[in-house]
Amino acid sequence: MDFNEMAGRLVVVDKSEEKIMSSDNIEIYQAIKVFKNKIKCNRCGKVTTKERAKLPYDNYYCPKCIVLGRVSTLNNLVHVIEDNHFNKVDEILTWDGKLSKFQEVCSNELINIIGKNTEHLLWAVTGAGKTEMLFKPIAEALRKKFRVAIASPRVDVCNELYPRLDKAFKEIDKILLHGRSEEAYRYTQLVVCTTHQLLKFKEAFDVLIIDEVDAFPYVNNKELLFATKQAIKKTGTLIYLTATPSNELAKRIKRGNISISYLPMRFHQNALPTIKVEFTNNWWDLFTREIG
C-alpha cells in the first residue's frame, strides 16, 4: 500500500497486516466497537444490533455501509494523515467567464471565508450560477495549497460538475469518485464525489462544499452528516449550496449559527415568475379540446 497516495483516506485493513503498525504517518482505529447488545461502526457511525450484524466466531460487521465494502471486527481502520503535498501550478483558474455584480458579491463573500473554521450557506435560486460563483473561491483555496472537495448526493450532478471543473482548473490534478466511477482512486488536490464517498475520508479536506444539501438522500441523513464532519479537517471551511434550504438550515440561519450568501435572481437578473392560481370550471373539457 502506498501511504502517500492514501493521505486523508480512511482505509479498511485486515488486522493481520502487521506491517502497517510500523508506519509513523498513520492512525489506527477499531473498525467495529462492540457493546453488550449492539455494535457501532467507526466508518459510518451507525449502531446496529448484534443479532443483525453477527458473523461466525463472535465477529460482527456493519450492514449499514456494506455498499462501500464490508467492514468488520476482523478489520482496522487506518487513517493516513493528510499533509497537503501538492505540486505548484502556474495557472490555477483557466475559466475566463464573467460574473454579474450580484454573483461577484456572493463569490467574494466565499473567498473571504476560505481558510476559516466556519460553515457557510450559498443560497441561490436554480439557474443563478452557483457553480460559476465557486470558481474564484476554489482557486483561492488551491492557491493556498488547500485540498478541496465538492460532494453531491446525486451521481448525475457529480458527472455534470466534473467536466465544468476540469475545464475551469485544467492544470489542477482532480478525480471523480462515485459508485460507478471507472478511474481507480488516486491522491489529488481537487475531488468531486458523491456524499457517500466521504465515508472513505477522514480529516482530508481544508474546504468541503456540499451541493444540493436539501436533496435526497443527504437531507436528514445522519450517516451522511457523520461522513461530512469526518471528512473535513478540524480547521476546515464547510460550504453548503442550495436553492431551497431545509427547515433545519432555516433555523440555523435565524439563530445566526451559519453565515449566508443569498442570491434570489438568475444571471439575466430578471425577477422569477410569480405563480398565479386560477379556478376554472370544466377544465378537463377545455384541456381535451386544446389537445384534440
Side-chain angles (χ1 to χ4, degrees):
M1 182 184 297
D2 185 344
F3 285 106
N4 292 325
E5 271 292 302
M6 303 306 290
R9 293 286 269 180
L10 196 61
V11 186
V12 179
V13 177
D14 193 287
K15 284 183 177 180
S16 64
E17 295 188 31
E18 297 288 342
K19 62 183 179 180
I20 66 170
M21 305 301 178
S22 61
S23 300
D24 58 4
N25 66 331
I26 66 172
E27 299 171 338
I28 301 172
Y29 306 92
Q30 282 183 301
I32 302 292
K33 192 170 183 179
V34 180
F35 299 95
K36 184 176 180 180
N37 297 313
K38 298 179 180 180
I39 61 104
K40 181 180 180 180
C41 175
N42 284 326
R43 179 170 67 177
C44 70
K46 287 288 189 177
V47 174
T48 308
T49 62
K50 277 187 170 182
E51 185 62 30
R52 184 180 178 192
K54 193 172 183 180
L55 290 174
Y57 306 109
D58 292 324
N59 285 303
Y60 302 92
Y61 80 103
C62 178
K64 303 291 187 180
C65 58
I66 188 105
V67 67
L68 297 176
R70 194 174 78 173
V71 60
S72 75
T73 47
L74 297 169
N75 303 122
N76 280 322
L77 293 177
V78 176
H79 171 223
V80 185
I81 297 171
E82 170 64 54
D83 58 3
N84 291 58
H85 185 67
F86 305 117
N87 296 325
K88 184 179 178 181
V89 173
D90 293 327
E91 186 179 11
I92 293 176
L93 183 59
T94 52
W95 178 70
D96 58 1
K98 301 294 182 184
L99 298 176
S100 72
K101 62 180 181 179
F102 300 108
Q103 288 176 318
E104 195 78 49
V105 169
C106 291
S107 181
N108 288 335
E109 289 173 348
L110 292 174
I111 290 172
N112 289 336
I113 66 165
I114 296 300
K116 296 180 181 178
N117 181 17
T118 189
E119 295 184 34
H120 188 87
L121 171 65
L122 175 56
W123 178 5
V125 297
T126 302
K130 288 187 283 293
T131 303
E132 287 74 15
M133 286 185 269
L134 290 173
F135 287 160
K136 291 181 180 179
I138 291 174
E140 177 67 14
L142 298 175
R143 192 173 293 112
K144 291 181 175 180
K145 293 292 186 75
F146 288 163
R147 196 177 188 192
V148 180
I150 303 178
S152 169
R154 294 165 45 193
V155 171
D156 61 316
V157 172
C158 292
N159 286 336
E160 179 187 335
L161 278 172
Y162 185 79
R164 296 170 70 184
L165 290 163
D166 192 33
K167 186 175 180 180
F169 301 97
K170 291 179 182 177
E171 294 189 27
I172 299 296
D173 196 16
K174 62 190 76 66
I175 194 167
L176 172 64
L177 301 173
H178 54 67
R180 296 174 231 162
S181 300
E182 296 181 359
E183 186 178 6
Y185 176 81
R186 57 189 172 80
Y187 182 63
T188 63
Q189 189 175 7
L190 182 58
V191 175
V192 179
C193 65
T194 54
T195 47
H196 278 89
Q197 290 292 319
L198 294 177
L199 288 164
K200 295 183 178 182
F201 291 92
K202 181 176 174 61
E203 296 180 23
F205 303 111
D206 303 278
V207 178
L208 177 55
I209 301 165
I210 308 293
D211 193 11
E212 298 203 340
V213 71
D214 59 301
F216 176 85
Y218 188 85
V219 65
N220 298 325
N221 187 312
K222 292 182 179 179
E223 178 185 353
L224 296 181
L225 294 174
F226 175 88
T228 299
K229 299 297 184 183
Q230 178 172 262
I232 193 170
K233 291 183 180 179
K234 291 182 174 65
T235 56
T237 303
L238 181 57
I239 299 172
Y240 302 110
L241 309 181
T242 187
T244 52
S246 64
N247 290 335
E248 180 58 32
L249 270 177
K251 290 176 184 177
R252 294 189 64 195
I253 294 168
K254 191 173 182 179
R255 291 194 296 260
N257 293 341
I258 184 170
S259 56
I260 180 172
S261 297
Y262 179 54
L263 184 55
M265 63 178 64
R266 294 174 177 156
F267 183 81
H268 51 58
Q269 299 181 30
N270 294 328
L272 295 179
T274 302
I275 297 175
K276 296 180 180 179
V277 179
E278 293 186 6
F279 293 94
T280 304
N281 292 326
N282 302 319
W283 65 269
W284 181 251
D285 291 338
L286 294 171
F287 175 72
T288 53
R289 192 183 309 159
E290 286 292 328
I291 65 173

